[in-house]
Amino acid sequence: MSTQDAANLLGVSMRTAQLWVESGVLPAWKTAGGHRRIARAAVERLVAERQAAIDPVATLPLAPSPPAPTPLGILVVEDEPDLLRLFTLVIQGWGLPIELQTASNGFEALVRMGERHPDILITDLNMPGMDGFRMLRFLHTLSSGRTPTDIIVVTALGREDIEDRGGLPADIPVFTKPVPFSVLEKRVKERLASRVSA
């Protein structure tokens, strides 16, 4: 760098930069034409030293930021496209650390679960292909050592209809449509809180 370049970078006058070169504060050498040249690294080192003297706190190493929480995996299984879009919009609007997956029937849901084991499964029951009943029975037979998935059913079927089709395990909460989004949000927040305190 020329003396003028160094002065500009250091925020001092040309004369001050020249004095620093002459006193050895800024190591420099002369070209064949007699012009001073200063190594950029020397100028940057002096800038850092001056900054440390002015504001020592600014030069302290930053404390490592805590790792971002692992997103809570949620899988929504619903065969109505409009309702599935509504699920997506509302859940993403909660502003929570969530990784959302969707499926339109039980078989597709099982494929998604193979890709990423969800923390929470929200499912309809009455769907084409593999319905929610068959999917939940299949999941019930699995005995993996994974963290258990919270299962929540949201359906248009009444209690009697559910019983007529074989019923569901007693520990699975069942909500009747329209979707109770405020209740679902509360349960998601509870699951997130339980992971933090664990």
Side-chain angles (χ1 to χ4, degrees):
M1 299 179 71
S2 68
T3 309
Q4 184 64 60
D5 292 336
N8 292 342
L9 195 59
L10 289 162
V12 297
S13 68
M14 173 85 160
R15 179 63 187 146
T16 300
Q18 289 170 340
L19 289 172
W20 284 351
V21 167
E22 290 167 10
S23 65
V25 172
L26 270 178
W29 66 95
K30 285 190 177 180
T31 65
H35 300 288
R36 289 190 181 95
R37 289 292 176 261
I38 305 163
R40 177 175 289 276
V43 176
E44 290 173 347
R45 186 167 53 251
L46 187 56
V47 168
E49 289 171 0
R50 292 181 69 214
Q51 182 61 40
I54 295 167
D55 186 7
V57 174
T59 60
L60 293 175
L62 295 174
S65 56
T70 304
L72 191 76
I74 297 180
L75 174 59
V76 176
V77 192
E78 171 59 58
D79 65 311
E80 290 184 42
D82 290 340
L83 186 51
L84 198 55
R85 276 195 292 275
L86 180 61
F87 264 112
T88 301
L89 288 170
V90 172
I91 291 174
Q92 289 175 345
W94 291 341
L96 299 171
I98 290 170
E99 183 180 304
L100 180 64
Q101 293 180 295
T102 60
S104 58
N105 59 55
F107 180 76
E108 191 180 336
L110 293 175
V111 173
R112 295 278 181 274
M113 293 183 80
E115 296 168 352
R116 196 234 198 257
H117 187 71
D119 298 291
I120 298 177
L121 171 66
I122 302 170
T123 184
D124 190 8
L125 292 176
N126 199 20
M127 297 179 287
M130 180 185 277
D131 64 18
F133 292 99
R134 287 173 58 204
M135 176 188 68
L136 292 176
R137 288 188 196 109
F138 179 80
L139 290 175
H140 190 66
T141 64
L142 296 178
S143 56
S144 65
R146 298 176 178 178
T147 304
T149 297
D150 291 342
I151 298 172
I152 301 170
V153 168
V154 181
T155 181
L157 297 177
R159 294 279 176 187
E160 289 185 7
D161 294 322
I162 293 172
E163 292 304 319
D164 288 345
R165 294 174 67 172
L168 295 171
D171 60 338
I172 295 179
V174 178
F175 298 101
T176 305
K177 292 178 179 178
V179 181
F181 284 111
S182 59
V183 176
L184 296 181
E185 182 181 8
K186 182 170 181 282
R187 285 178 173 264
V188 168
K189 287 179 176 177
E190 287 171 354
R191 181 68 188 257
L192 282 166
S194 70
R195 289 201 323 180
V196 171
S197 61

